[in-house]
Amino acid sequence: MAELVLDGVTKHFDDDGDRIVAVDDASIDIEDGEFLVLVGPSGCGKSTTLRMVAGLETVSGGELRLDGTDISDRAPADRDVAMVFQSYALYPHMTVRENMAFGLEESTDMADDVIDERVSETAEMMGIEELLERKPRELSGGQQQRVALGRAIVRDPEVFLMDEPLSNLDAKLRSTMRTELQRLQENLGVTTVYVTHDQTEAMTMGDRIAILNDGRLQQVATPLEAYHAPANEFVAGFLGEPSMNFFDASVEDGSLITDQFTYPLSEDTLDDLGGADDVRLGVRPEDIELVEKPVGDHDYAVTVDVVEPLGDENNVYLEFDLDTEGEGAGRTFTAAVDGTHPVAAGDELGARIPESAIHIFDVDSGVALHNRERDPDEQVIPQ
Amino acid sequence: MNTSDLDGRRVGLYAVLFGLVAFYLLPLEIGLVTSLKTDPLASLPFAPPAAGSFTLEEWGRAFTALKSGLVNSLLLAVPATILSAGLGSMAAYGLTTLQWRGQVGVFTLFIAGIFIPYQAVLLPVSRFWATYAPLEEWLAVLWLLPGLEAYHGELLSLIITHVAYGIPICTLLFRTYYKELSGEMVEAAKLDGATAYTIYRRVILPLSVPMFAVTLIYQFTQIWNDLLFALVIMGPGDGAPVTVGLTNIGSSLTNLGFGVKMAGAFIAALPTMVVYVLFGEQFAEGVAS
């Protein structure tokens, strides 16, 4: 059991004299037993970060500490970490038993019968004891995945590193394994760093999530905090499906003026803006309410463009009814409404954007100036 | 209409296939029947031996003449093949799976080695073994041991020459194969605590079996059939391999010696065929990958 600290960890590659920064000054304190998810779009540096922790990439700057000891320069074998790879990376010529025993044989001086016993115990826990004598090619994708997990668990390491371990599974199996992996990690209590590009995995699995973009750490927070109080526009747009609606706006006379509409702000919200002139308004699709007719200050006349029924909810693409053919004409935005809500393309309705649900970001830096109001015991179930 | 059309194509296909079979097998058939006739010139080349003219005598004579050459060839080809394949595999592992500075330059040297023609090195190689590294003299004390003869020193020179010449192509073949192996698997082994050596021994080597079949067949055939190096480095002495023996066979006899030459050719070619049969399945797997 161990606490893992990334202290200003940096990685750059030299490409013909050009320095390419893959990870820039990332600092995360991962507590003992914590499940941390590293999430971000492809090429954001999340895998590189994980590979640095594993020792498969050298660290260009900063320090990696495991329980206070600097491990930045240690060989992968001396770090007491186990990794689960996206491709599972099983040894194809070995049986499941040999695959699981390999790490113990190479990294410890345990007797063969002790190793054998530990492999059997772990296999039983993973429900793969009847596969022990088979070769990887005789296993299904889900079974290989379990073996790869078992191979990591049997080593009893200080830290688990997982690099998109579920991305090769079909959707149904993926959600089963998601739950199972969480349960396992909780029972074992081993510090885990999990890399994914899938925000559902990030939201549902992690104790905390660390969002990366362009090699920079954007925010480290609990899933709900990152979802409801994003540190910046990138985090707000990255989490949530369908993603948040953004509108460029300028602040005039206590209101937000966009190309399509004028949005009056309360004193409290205005205070948060701190005198900023150009901002970006953000609102999540599920926070937009559809009403029959626009009546209030925050209601706008819209026409339904397209409806995507998902069963439990409908994604509704709305278009503002504008008096003039201005710049903002034809701009659509998304609302997510209950699946039973009767709505069809061509309907003319009112869209209500409650002030309690809006986010406001600085246009240049993207930093969140104002985040939505939060119910202290809220629950979010993404998708 | 449709079926007859199909039949027509089938007949054509089989005609072509039988034609190809005849094309490839006829020379072998002629060689075989010639080696079994008392007087090969008395009947048509491809006709089987007539009732009274069947003989195994030529095979017996050829075998007696080539016996020591066969032994020498085995002493030469088996270790040279295994060494060049084994060293090629190790070199390819070091140049492909491991990462270090300057490996591209070293690999380029290996590739250049493939394209050096035999003829260009004949003189330097024979001078090298004769003047600079006379193994026969250096290891003189060894030849006193029972079972070892002075000409084994020459065989050793030939083995080393063939190994050196075989390593580049083996390295290239193994490298192509190792590039396809999963990098994540090697990384997993590293995290599992395996050293560069144990990764090779326990992960890479067991996965190389199909490519070993390819290189073993290829190298064995190359070395077994080589005449040029054998002639230049050792000449027709006690240590001469079977290819050198084959050039001499029949020439000293009064008749033209067609029968004994054919029988000798079959005897000399037999081991390469055995190797193909033994490793054929893995060979196909290795080529397909």
Side-chain angles (χ1 to χ4, degrees):
Chain A
M1 306 305 115
E3 175 198 36
L4 177 69
V5 175
L6 283 70
D7 188 358
V9 169
T10 300
K11 175 75 191 180
H12 47 75
F13 296 99
D14 286 320
D15 182 37
D16 284 337
D18 288 338
R19 174 177 284 195
I20 297 164
V21 178
V23 180
D24 190 8
D25 196 23
S27 295
I28 314 172
D29 290 11
I30 305 156
E31 283 166 33
D32 183 13
E34 185 175 358
F35 196 121
L36 181 97
V37 177
L38 276 176
V39 67
S42 9
C44 72
K46 55 191 191 298
S47 283
T48 308
T49 308
L50 193 77
R51 291 170 58 81
M52 281 193 283
V53 177
L56 298 170
E57 299 278 357
T58 55
V59 179
S60 320
E63 221 178 64
L64 282 164
R65 284 192 296 272
L66 192 64
D67 263 347
T69 319
D70 182 8
I71 56 163
S72 318
D73 296 324
R74 281 196 199 167
D78 303 326
R79 297 190 179 200
D80 208 3
V81 299
M83 187 153 165
V84 180
F85 292 87
Q86 184 174 356
S87 67
Y88 314 140
L90 299 174
Y91 312 121
H93 57 297
M94 298 184 194
T95 62
V96 170
R97 182 185 292 282
E98 287 163 346
N99 261 284
M100 289 174 71
F102 186 83
L104 291 175
E105 287 165 1
E106 292 297 330
S107 64
T108 69
D109 41 20
M110 280 183 197
D112 285 356
D113 54 331
V114 182
I115 291 178
D116 217 44
E117 197 176 314
R118 265 182 63 172
V119 169
S120 299
E121 270 171 29
T122 310
E124 205 171 307
M125 182 178 78
M126 298 295 299
I128 51 172
E129 66 268 37
E130 72 281 7
L131 307 177
L132 279 176
E133 305 313 323
R134 293 208 207 156
K135 294 267 177 77
R137 65 166 174 277
E138 301 165 62
L139 306 178
S140 70
Q143 289 170 328
Q144 290 187 24
Q145 220 282 322
R146 259 164 213 276
V147 175
L149 270 177
R151 186 173 67 173
I153 290 169
V154 78
R155 298 254 327 266
D156 189 22
E158 297 284 7
V159 180
F160 284 139
L161 304 174
M162 307 200 182
D163 191 3
E164 312 225 12
L166 304 183
S167 59
N168 288 349
L169 301 179
D170 63 63
K172 192 141 196 168
L173 197 54
R174 197 182 311 157
S175 76
T176 320
M177 282 308 290
R178 211 160 60 204
T179 329
E180 194 170 322
L181 203 63
Q182 253 179 302
R183 188 178 49 81
L184 259 171
Q185 196 271 341
E186 215 158 283
N187 292 345
L188 296 167
V190 176
T191 313
T192 302
V193 184
Y194 185 106
V195 162
T196 182
H197 66 272
D198 180 321
Q199 50 150 315
T200 314
E201 284 177 22
M203 292 297 287
T204 54
M205 298 179 81
D207 294 325
R208 283 192 303 159
I209 58 181
I211 301 114
L212 272 140
N213 186 35
D214 253 353
R216 288 215 171 83
L217 199 57
Q218 306 290 314
Q219 188 172 10
V220 185
T222 64
L224 288 185
E225 205 175 310
Y227 190 80
H228 289 307
N232 57 40
E233 193 185 325
F234 176 81
V235 175
F238 185 76
L239 297 177
E241 175 66 41
S243 53
M244 186 182 273
N245 298 294
F246 292 106
F247 303 95
D248 282 336
S250 54
V251 188
E252 281 166 42
D253 299 332
S255 291
L256 295 176
I257 316 287
T258 73
D259 288 338
Q260 296 86 7
F261 59 92
T262 303
Y263 193 93
L265 294 176
S266 69
E267 281 301 321
D268 285 350
T269 312
L270 272 173
D271 283 348
D272 283 347
L273 300 191
D277 290 328
D278 292 310
V279 297
R280 197 161 283 151
L281 170 70
V283 61
R284 294 211 178 272
E286 66 268 26
D287 291 325
I288 296 175
E289 295 164 34
L290 295 185
V291 292
E292 267 180 46
K293 275 197 168 18
V295 285
D297 281 349
H298 295 148
D299 296 356
Y300 303 95
V302 293
T303 307
V304 176
D305 187 23
V306 177
V307 179
E308 285 178 355
L310 298 173
D312 58 336
E313 62 171 24
N314 291 330
N315 290 339
V316 185
Y317 294 86
L318 304 165
E319 201 171 318
F320 285 103
D321 296 340
L322 295 181
D323 302 333
T324 55
E325 285 289 313
E327 263 183 71
R331 159 78 200 259
T332 63
F333 64 109
T334 325
V337 298
D338 198 83
T340 55
H341 194 103
V343 58
D347 286 359
E348 295 191 358
L349 305 161
R352 178 173 296 161
I353 303 176
E355 194 176 349
S356 62
I358 61 167
H359 301 261
I360 299 171
F361 306 96
D362 187 274
V363 161
D364 298 321
S365 65
V367 169
L369 303 169
H370 168 83
N371 276 323
R372 62 161 303 152
E373 287 168 21
R374 291 173 68 192
D375 182 351
D377 35 50
E378 68 207 339
Q379 282 272 324
V380 67
I381 303 155
Q383 298 202 47
Chain B
M1 168 81 193
N2 210 350
T3 45
S4 68
D5 216 26
L6 202 71
D7 285 347
R9 282 182 59 181
R10 269 185 173 258
V11 169
L13 178 68
Y14 279 106
V16 170
L17 288 178
F18 277 118
L20 283 173
V21 169
F23 180 78
Y24 281 109
L25 289 186
L26 199 62
L28 290 178
E29 195 265 350
I30 291 175
L32 188 64
V33 294
T34 304
S35 72
L36 297 172
K37 291 175 191 172
T38 44
D39 183 6
L41 297 177
S43 56
L44 283 169
F46 51 82
S53 68
F54 176 83
T55 175
L56 286 174
E57 200 186 322
E58 305 287 8
W59 279 75
R61 276 166 59 194
F63 184 72
T64 315
L66 294 176
K67 204 163 55 185
S68 70
L70 279 172
V71 173
N72 289 336
S73 274
L74 277 178
L75 284 178
L76 161 71
V78 171
T81 302
I82 293 173
L83 277 174
S84 55
L87 292 173
S89 158
M90 286 183 205
Y93 168 71
L95 287 168
T96 312
T97 319
L98 302 182
Q99 304 297 325
W100 43 279
R101 204 177 287 269
Q103 63 187 160
V104 175
V106 174
F107 183 64
T108 312
L109 286 178
F110 274 79
I111 294 297
I114 298 174
F115 298 105
I116 300 174
Y118 272 25
Q119 290 79 354
V121 297
L122 280 182
L123 216 56
V125 161
S126 65
R127 288 278 297 169
F128 175 78
W129 290 122
T131 315
Y132 299 106
L135 291 182
E136 218 177 317
E137 288 171 33
W138 288 359
L139 303 174
V141 65
L142 278 182
W143 317 137
L144 302 174
L145 294 171
L148 288 181
E149 303 287 343
Y151 67 80
H152 287 141
E154 290 185 326
L155 270 177
L156 192 59
S157 312
L158 201 51
I159 288 173
I160 295 171
T161 309
H162 275 299
V163 169
Y165 234 98
I167 284 176
I169 184 71
C170 289
T171 306
L172 178 69
L173 287 168
F174 276 108
R175 181 178 152 90
T176 319
Y177 186 67
Y178 291 163
K179 275 186 132 162
E180 298 300 313
L181 291 181
S182 151
E184 289 195 342
M185 182 184 67
V186 176
E187 289 178 343
K190 261 187 218 166
L191 280 163
D192 267 345
T195 59
Y197 171 70
T198 43
I199 292 175
Y200 177 71
R201 188 173 57 83
R202 295 196 60 187
V203 179
I204 303 294
L205 195 58
L207 290 173
S208 309
V209 172
M211 202 32 83
F212 266 104
V214 173
T215 47
L216 287 181
I217 288 182
Y218 178 78
Q219 279 299 102
F220 186 83
T221 314
Q222 285 287 88
I223 297 168
W224 184 275
N225 289 339
D226 168 71
L227 177 64
L228 203 51
F229 275 158
L231 271 179
V232 171
I233 291 177
M234 52 200 322
D238 284 340
V242 72
T243 44
V244 176
L246 193 59
T247 58
N248 298 329
I249 208 170
S251 54
S252 60
L253 299 168
T254 45
N255 68 5
L256 287 165
F258 281 141
V260 72
K261 278 181 177 161
M262 289 301 167
F266 273 98
I267 290 171
L270 213 58
T272 52
M273 285 193 244
V274 170
V275 167
Y276 268 98
V277 171
L278 283 181
F279 296 105
E281 202 175 315
Q282 284 96 331
F283 179 79
E285 199 185 316
V287 170
S289 66

